[in-house]
Amino acid sequence: MLRPLGYALFCIGGATLAFTGGKYALGAIRQEEARQAWDESRARAIVSLARRSVVYANTEPIVTGAPIARLVIPRLAIDEIVLEGVDDDVLNAGPGHLIGSAFPGERGNAVISGHRDRHFTRLGEISVGDTLFTESGVHRAYWVVVSKRVIDADAPALFRTRDATLTLTTCWPIRYVGSAPERLIVTARPLAKTGSFASAASN
Amino acid sequence: MSRSLFAGFILLFAAQALSAQITTYIAPPRPPGANSVAVTAADSIRRDSVQRAAIANMKAWVDSAAGVSVPRSVADSTTVANDSSRTVVTSFSNGTVAPATASDLPALAILGLIGLAVGAGLLANRPRG
């Protein structure tokens, strides 16, 4: 009696582990692909800028899952490529940019969300006053964290702003097993120094 | 009239016979009222428009010169994100809840690990005798 039960548990446990491991591995692969695509687009921008030929049409929609920005929080060693959209597949591959929110560095509220068990594992350690920067295209923006709060998952969390604002969200508590009931909301405002692409490209 | 015709013929045939080339360019008289500053500005505008047109056509060439291939599934992120002239693009409604970042994968991984361990334990404890 125990033997069939042992087989069943072994098989189900193995399959579950394989599924979760595969999901994590797939996310890691897609994040790496996104990083390569980001580096390539950055290289194109460098070449275009060097040739003084940056003339872009501003009408093309961005494909869901496309890399749109790079998010770096030096103190927490977070360096992630942000993808467009916040659906399951996108968030498995990297932090997602909420469609309809502003792009980092532009006027308005730019919302970036990530999973607490993958790319934003250390986001809970962030403190008010920490600095971070984002790169989107040829624009680098520096930010300082001005607030950090925890709210219920169903509570209103995101608001429009006239000025440039960066909002990072993830689930809370970070170490919660299961579907986390709360959200960590980190708000940052731009620092005075805004980078040019030349300085960004040299790093 | 006849003098100028004669001079023209001489110039034409003599130049051919001597294999000479006429390289002197005589600029046409400047139209009255043309301001040099205005001409320069108009010229630069024309050059700028020509350059922009050429650049628009050269984008693919620039990309190819960089040796970069654009993945089909990936949009050109620089086309939208780098344009600082865009106005406010925030279009989500005020008070939107935070995106659903809750993930069951950690719980599934722990459950799978427990199942695997218990199953292995049951299989290892074979009844003796």
Side-chain angles (χ1 to χ4, degrees):
Chain A
M1 178 61 193
L2 287 179
R3 197 168 175 79
L5 182 63
Y7 272 121
L9 283 174
F10 191 83
C11 291
I12 293 173
T16 308
L17 266 185
F19 171 76
T20 52
K23 195 93 167 154
Y24 281 127
L26 185 66
I29 291 170
R30 287 199 56 201
Q31 170 67 199
E32 188 55 35
E33 288 176 351
R35 190 172 295 278
Q36 286 180 4
W38 175 257
D39 289 342
E40 287 171 0
S41 70
R42 202 176 172 203
R44 285 202 308 277
I46 290 172
V47 170
S48 299
L49 198 66
R51 293 174 181 275
R52 304 277 180 191
S53 60
V54 183
V55 177
Y56 291 116
N58 197 17
T59 55
E60 296 177 18
I62 297 180
V63 180
T64 299
I68 62 111
R70 178 178 170 222
L71 170 69
V72 180
I73 309 176
R75 193 176 73 80
L76 304 182
I78 291 177
D79 183 349
E80 301 289 344
I81 301 300
V82 181
L83 309 174
E84 180 72 349
V86 289
D87 60 31
D88 281 347
D89 287 339
V90 171
L91 291 181
N92 189 41
H97 168 253
L98 179 65
I99 296 174
S101 68
F103 286 93
E106 293 183 339
R107 290 174 58 198
N109 193 358
V111 181
I112 296 175
S113 302
H115 278 314
R116 63 196 158 90
D117 60 324
R118 269 155 279 185
H119 311 99
F120 280 174
T121 304
R122 299 190 64 191
L123 192 63
E125 302 171 30
I126 203 166
S127 306
V128 172
D130 279 349
T131 57
L132 55 139
F133 67 84
T134 56
E135 290 176 359
S136 49
V138 297
H139 187 74
R140 174 182 278 199
Y142 292 86
W143 308 85
V144 59
V145 176
V146 294
S147 80
K148 174 186 176 184
R149 58 200 172 98
V150 175
I151 60 171
D152 287 338
D154 298 329
L158 308 174
F159 298 91
R160 296 184 190 184
T161 59
R162 290 190 64 81
D163 299 327
T165 306
L166 179 66
T167 302
L168 307 177
T169 78
T170 191
C171 291
W172 189 265
I174 295 286
R175 303 294 175 200
Y176 192 86
V177 176
S179 188
E182 296 173 317
R183 299 286 182 269
L184 172 66
I185 310 292
V186 176
T187 307
R189 296 283 186 181
L191 282 171
K193 62 170 182 177
T194 53
S196 65
F197 189 73
S199 61
S202 64
N203 293 332
Chain B
M1 180 64 185
S2 60
R3 269 189 183 183
S4 58
L5 272 176
F6 180 72
F9 274 114
I10 291 295
L11 201 61
L12 187 64
F13 292 112
Q16 278 186 351
L18 297 174
S19 301
Q21 291 181 340
I22 300 171
T23 56
T24 305
Y25 169 70
I26 301 172
R30 185 173 294 185
N35 190 351
S36 62
V37 177
V39 169
T40 307
D43 184 46
S44 67
I45 290 169
R46 188 167 60 246
R47 283 185 190 175
D48 185 50
S49 63
V50 169
Q51 187 182 16
R52 277 176 179 274
I55 286 165
N57 294 331
M58 285 174 61
K59 184 177 184 304
W61 180 85
V62 170
D63 289 344
S64 65
V68 172
S69 61
V70 185
R72 284 184 184 177
S73 61
V74 175
D76 188 351
S77 60
T78 57
T79 58
V80 176
N82 67 357
D83 189 354
S84 58
S85 64
R86 289 178 63 166
T87 55
V88 179
V89 293
T90 310
S91 62
F92 61 85
S93 55
N94 263 334
T96 303
V97 297
T101 49
S103 171
D104 293 327
L105 281 186
L108 279 177
I110 290 173
L111 286 176
L113 202 61
I114 291 173
L116 199 69
V118 172
L122 289 176
L123 288 176
N125 290 331
R126 291 182 180 177
R128 293 177 183 172

